[in-house]
Amino acid sequence: MTDTVEQLDLKAPTEKINLLGLSREKMAAFFLSIGEKPFRAQQILKWIHHHGVHDFDEMTNISKALRERLKTTAEIRPPEVVTEKTSKDGTRKWAVRVSGGSLVETVLIPDGDRGTLCVSSQVGCSLDCSFCSTGKQGFQRDLTAAEIVGQIWLAIKSYDAFPSTDKKVVTNVVMMGMGEPLLNFDNVVDAMDIMLDDFGYGISKRRVTLSTSGVVPALDKLGDVSQVSLAISLHAPNDKLRDQLVPINKRYPIAELLAACNRYWDKQNDTHRVTTVEYTLIAGINDSPAQARELVALLKDFPCKINLIPFNPFSLSDYRRPSKNAVNRFWQILSDSDIVTTVRSTRGDDIDAACGQLVGQVADRTKRSERHKANYTDTQILNVR
């Protein structure tokens, strides 16, 4: 327990701890560190995540003396909502301001009795996948666990759905927003622990999905500490093309990524789940029948289901969305080979909330955003000439 207390990083007596991002274990450690019983953790977790309370004075089963003490040592501070937009199809997108002033985006996709929240894990993205608008914005920093969990808290608050009821606004969470989750490992794991915890949001491990571009060492580590569902951003049937679309492939090629996925599932006690393979279809790049057959050959012995995602256009990219015929043809080849394959419906594209369109406003410390804008402008000038 001492080690856990140290992880709270109590740098100074006057620095307040944001309880919104503390897992049950770390919350108990916090209360021990201030001389309180660890059972207080469960009480506070329920107030925050079941009732949506961020004011200690509203916590009626906590003594006044403890409430006053918490005000001096802790806070419950979600990110600030800057904009909220609702698509004609019901998709809702928030831009939230995090510490440092940058904006990140999160999206809720309602579908009958399901509500899938796409959550960001970084301010920008340290990777630079060629088909993703987030990568073009560069990178500033990792989000804290409180900033990650805060996106769920704000989404539920937006629908006035606290206290939690049987009909939940957020039933599924996908770590598919801005950033590469496995490059923000500790904060993402803490946040997912809160999502799964019955004293947090009580979401099934089958309904929390981490999507990775292929950070193999971190994926191996994840299998030791988590049982969430797994998705991989593949987008190509071979290493040559994936090197261009997903640059991290040069370090961890496809064979290594697929092997790491198998190792992840080998560590789980549930043997019936499979990896979701995300494949963004880009016209003339990776959507041909020959590439579909190559994908079948690649994945024939890999337990998976495939999610085809027609490319969603954005500025700074000349990629094009494939035709419906091309998408259907690609789907048919995979389905005829007995691979479970779905085509993701485009949701929220009228508010730039579709897959690959999340941008936010990033104080880019990598200068990548400037380079992309300059290169794109130069290309447009050459095309005009």
Side-chain angles (χ1 to χ4, degrees):
M1 186 61 74
T2 302
D3 291 340
T4 307
V5 174
E6 290 176 353
Q7 291 175 14
L8 293 176
D9 194 19
L10 301 176
K11 296 179 181 177
T14 57
E15 183 175 349
K16 292 186 177 182
I17 298 295
N18 191 348
L19 302 186
L20 185 62
L22 296 191
S23 64
R24 192 194 306 195
E25 180 184 13
K26 290 187 175 180
M27 188 79 78
F30 165 74
F31 278 105
L32 281 174
S33 75
I34 63 171
E36 289 287 336
K37 299 294 185 182
F39 78 87
R40 295 294 186 191
Q42 298 178 13
Q43 293 177 309
I44 300 298
L45 284 167
K46 290 178 69 175
W47 279 116
I48 296 172
H49 305 296
H50 290 192
H51 296 278
V53 169
H54 60 92
D55 184 346
F56 293 118
D57 284 334
E58 296 181 30
M59 299 180 179
T60 54
N61 62 347
I62 305 295
S63 69
K64 183 177 180 180
L66 179 54
R67 293 200 303 265
E68 292 302 317
R69 187 175 185 190
L70 287 173
K71 291 178 188 178
T72 65
T73 59
E75 62 183 351
I76 302 163
R77 179 170 48 84
E80 173 196 357
V81 175
V82 176
T83 62
E84 177 181 305
K85 297 180 180 179
T86 302
S87 167
K88 59 187 178 183
D89 63 25
T91 298
R92 187 172 293 187
K93 182 178 78 168
W94 299 266
V96 299
R97 180 175 288 114
V98 295
S99 178
S102 289
L103 304 186
V104 299
E105 295 185 335
T106 186
V107 175
L108 181 71
I109 305 169
D111 185 11
D113 60 355
R114 291 163 53 101
T116 299
L117 189 70
C118 183
V119 172
S120 294
S121 58
Q122 294 181 311
V123 183
C125 186
S126 53
L127 305 182
D128 190 12
C129 298
S130 65
F131 53 86
C132 180
S133 63
T134 301
K136 299 290 188 289
Q137 300 301 301
F139 174 74
Q140 184 191 24
R141 65 173 177 85
D142 293 333
L143 293 180
T144 66
E147 290 166 339
I148 296 169
V149 172
Q151 294 170 64
I152 303 176
W153 194 93
L154 289 171
I156 298 173
K157 199 78 168 178
S158 172
Y159 285 87
D160 196 24
F162 285 122
S164 58
T165 62
D166 291 337
K167 185 174 176 58
K168 295 184 177 181
V169 169
V170 178
T171 61
N172 299 61
V173 174
V174 290
M175 299 299 303
M176 297 181 185
M178 298 173 66
E180 164 54 58
L182 289 183
L183 291 179
N184 185 14
F185 189 90
D186 291 338
N187 290 326
V188 166
V189 168
D190 279 352
M192 293 192 304
D193 284 347
I194 297 170
M195 297 173 199
L196 301 174
D197 196 322
D198 287 340
F199 289 101
Y201 295 92
I203 304 173
S204 164
K205 64 185 180 183
R206 290 174 170 266
R207 295 190 171 192
V208 175
T209 301
L210 182 142
S211 175
T212 179
S213 295
V215 187
V216 168
L219 180 53
D220 282 329
K221 185 179 175 183
L222 183 70
D224 296 326
V225 297
S226 185
Q227 295 184 335
V228 296
S229 294
L230 182 64
I232 58 172
S233 296
L234 190 63
H235 311 301
N238 58 66
D239 285 321
K240 182 177 180 181
L241 178 57
R242 193 167 191 264
D243 283 351
Q244 301 172 37
L245 299 179
V246 187
I248 197 173
N249 192 74
K250 298 173 184 176
R251 187 168 184 180
Y252 306 114
I254 293 174
E256 291 187 25
L257 175 56
L258 300 186
C261 292
N262 286 332
R263 292 193 296 271
Y264 178 83
W265 292 119
D266 286 344
K267 295 177 180 179
Q268 309 302 323
N269 54 20
D270 183 349
T271 59
H272 300 292
R273 289 189 290 167
V274 299
T275 302
T276 297
V277 172
E278 298 165 328
Y279 193 102
T280 298
L281 286 166
I282 307 168
I285 302 295
N286 64 354
D287 65 338
S288 72
Q291 288 165 321
R293 290 188 286 270
E294 190 176 4
L295 187 61
V296 168
L298 174 70
L299 300 176
K300 64 179 180 178
D301 297 320
F302 180 67
C304 68
K305 56 184 178 182
I306 299 178
N307 192 2
L308 298 178
I309 309 167
F311 174 72
N312 295 301
F314 60 90
S315 63
L316 304 184
S317 174
D318 289 325
Y319 285 155
R320 294 177 294 108
R321 187 182 183 88
S323 67
K324 289 185 178 179
N325 285 340
V327 173
N328 290 337
R329 184 171 59 238
F330 204 96
W331 172 85
Q332 192 69 59
I333 292 171
L334 298 177
S335 297
D336 288 346
S337 301
D338 296 325
I339 299 178
V340 176
T341 306
T342 58
V343 178
R344 183 180 297 178
S345 299
T346 298
R347 300 285 301 273
D349 56 334
D350 57 322
I351 57 171
D352 291 333
C355 184
Q357 291 185 320
L358 298 190
V359 178
Q361 294 178 13
V362 177
D364 177 24
R365 73 184 194 202
T366 66
K367 305 301 181 183
R368 187 193 305 146
S369 177
E370 295 178 10
R371 292 195 299 271
H372 278 302
K373 289 176 182 177
N375 291 339
Y376 185 78
T377 301
D378 290 345
T379 300
Q380 297 304 302
I381 292 173
L382 289 173
N383 288 340
V384 170
R385 289 176 179 172

